[in-house]
Amino acid sequence: MRIVLDAMGGDAGVRVNVQGALDALREYPDMRLTLVGREEDMRGHLQAITAGGGNEPALDRLTLLHAPDVIGMHEAPVMAVRRKPHSSIVEGLMLVKNGEADAFVSAGSTGAVLAGGMFRVGRIEGVERPALAALFPMRTRKSLILDIGANTDCKPEWLAQFALMGSIYMRRTQGIENPQVALVNIGMEEEKGNETVKRAYQLLKEQPGINFIGNAEARDLPEGVADVLVCDGFVGNVILKFMEGTVHTIFKIVKDGLKSTNRGKVGGLIAKPTFKRIAAGLDASEVGGTPFLGVDGVVIKAHGNSNARAIFSAIRQARLMVENRVVSIIKDGIIQ
């Protein structure tokens, strides 16, 4: 298996990408990995991490590909992809496009990864719009939310395709035989919502290959009402960031409350293992990244603030998609 990692992406710099790449190579002996970026930077961090790399078997399966340009987080994505063909993002995506790699992972500019995925790798034939999908730990299960930002305005037909692609992803990578699909809406009733959502509801009712259970209200999402939650990118992005912020705030409130009294401090010590277990279940670094579903190749966008563990997890996620032929099965599902 051949994975490409953008070494220049993310807030933490090259080091966490190099460390995550090495961790993945040590975990998966059948993997070959290409780090793409400025060679001097990559090599320097590689030597520092491996203390010269003298007896590191994983290095035999690691390739460094020099890409002199970097797309910044604040550059206009489409123009940057066009003007910087030798950037780490574009060079990495082109390896996937040309069949020289099985998957691409980046913690860099979301817009540039999406634009590069669309215009360099290309869409699967029949897919109207690829969608960015996020796997989020709810109370009773993990739910895949899509779209979370690639398409802020959607047609009903796009939402129906998101449901199909999300179902295939959950079935193939999470082992859920018949994933439940819900449409995010302002009410449970079929007639609720704007015209786009109401029309999407009718399409989803009639669509083969998905287990559509109806509408889902925002207050029910944290319970884990469905395996796949379908919405436009504007709504999905708001949901994702609100839930991330809410979880962080609740933990702070509980921690501050427990520290405010001696009894609370004792209770906190007793409950500490439980809090650690809950926090681990909500740890974004274990999910790693979000797949860009609908492009003709495996593309994973890792979070901008990824640490080495998150990069490792994003590589693992890319590996799962390749192993389970998610792209090929989406192709078959769209053609049908």
Side-chain angles (χ1 to χ4, degrees), residues 39-332:
E39 185 170 359
E40 184 178 348
D41 292 344
M42 295 188 295
R43 199 170 294 282
H45 285 288
L46 190 60
Q47 290 174 348
I49 291 170
T50 62
N55 297 306
E56 179 63 74
L59 293 177
D60 294 338
R61 293 176 282 116
L62 179 66
T63 301
L64 303 185
L65 175 63
H66 180 58
D69 296 329
V70 177
I71 296 178
M73 301 298 284
H74 302 294
E75 292 187 64
V78 175
M79 293 304 296
V81 167
R82 289 175 179 169
R83 291 175 176 174
K84 293 184 174 180
H86 300 298
S87 63
S88 55
I89 289 175
V90 176
E91 291 276 16
L93 287 167
M94 289 307 296
L95 290 178
V96 175
K97 170 69 174 178
N98 296 332
E100 299 173 62
D102 299 306
F104 174 72
V105 177
S106 175
S109 163
T110 300
V113 172
L114 298 183
M118 282 278 286
F119 302 120
R120 292 294 182 264
V121 179
R123 291 176 291 169
I124 291 172
E125 185 177 356
V127 170
E128 296 289 338
R129 286 292 190 278
L132 200 56
L135 196 61
F136 205 92
M138 306 301 188
R139 191 181 74 84
T140 58
R141 65 177 115 187
K142 291 180 180 178
S143 296
L144 188 75
I145 305 175
L146 73 167
D147 184 16
I148 60 160
N151 307 280
T152 53
D153 294 297
C154 290
K155 294 180 180 179
E157 293 78 11
W158 303 356
L159 296 176
Q161 282 195 343
F162 296 170
L164 178 60
M165 294 191 294
S167 293
I168 291 170
Y169 179 85
M170 293 300 279
R171 187 163 61 247
R172 300 299 296 189
T173 69
Q174 302 301 308
I176 301 170
E177 185 61 33
N178 192 26
Q180 292 182 323
V181 177
L183 182 64
V184 179
N185 204 343
I186 59 172
M188 299 293 291
E189 300 84 356
E190 186 173 332
E191 66 275 7
K192 284 292 182 72
N194 57 30
E195 289 304 314
T196 298
V197 173
K198 286 191 283 188
R199 174 59 182 153
Y201 189 103
Q202 298 306 314
L203 292 175
L204 289 168
K205 277 204 316 183
E206 301 164 4
Q207 179 151 316
I210 66 166
N211 178 17
F212 181 55
I213 63 171
N215 288 325
E217 293 187 78
R219 66 185 176 192
D220 297 324
L221 303 188
E223 278 294 308
V225 67
D227 301 297
V228 179
L229 300 168
V230 176
C231 54
D232 65 47
F234 184 92
V235 171
N237 196 274
V238 170
I239 289 171
L240 187 69
K241 289 176 179 176
F242 180 77
M243 292 183 73
E244 287 176 343
T246 299
V247 169
H248 180 69
T249 299
I250 288 174
F251 267 94
K252 286 182 66 176
I253 290 171
V254 171
K255 185 177 179 180
D256 291 345
L258 290 173
K259 290 169 63 177
S260 64
T261 65
N262 289 332
R263 181 178 294 181
K265 291 175 183 177
V266 173
L269 287 173
I270 295 171
K272 191 173 181 179
T274 301
F275 290 145
K276 280 188 173 181
R277 188 170 65 252
I278 293 171
L282 298 171
D283 188 357
S285 68
E286 292 303 315
V287 175
T290 58
F292 194 26
L293 301 179
V295 294
D296 198 5
V298 175
V299 176
I300 301 292
K301 173 61 181 74
H303 204 290
N305 66 0
S306 291
N307 56 22
R309 181 64 188 178
I311 295 298
F312 167 85
S313 298
I315 294 169
R316 180 183 61 200
Q317 192 175 20
R319 179 185 174 86
L320 273 174
M321 285 189 68
V322 174
E323 284 181 333
N324 290 285
R325 300 177 51 252
V326 171
V327 173
S328 295
I329 294 169
I330 288 175
K331 285 182 181 179
D332 293 343

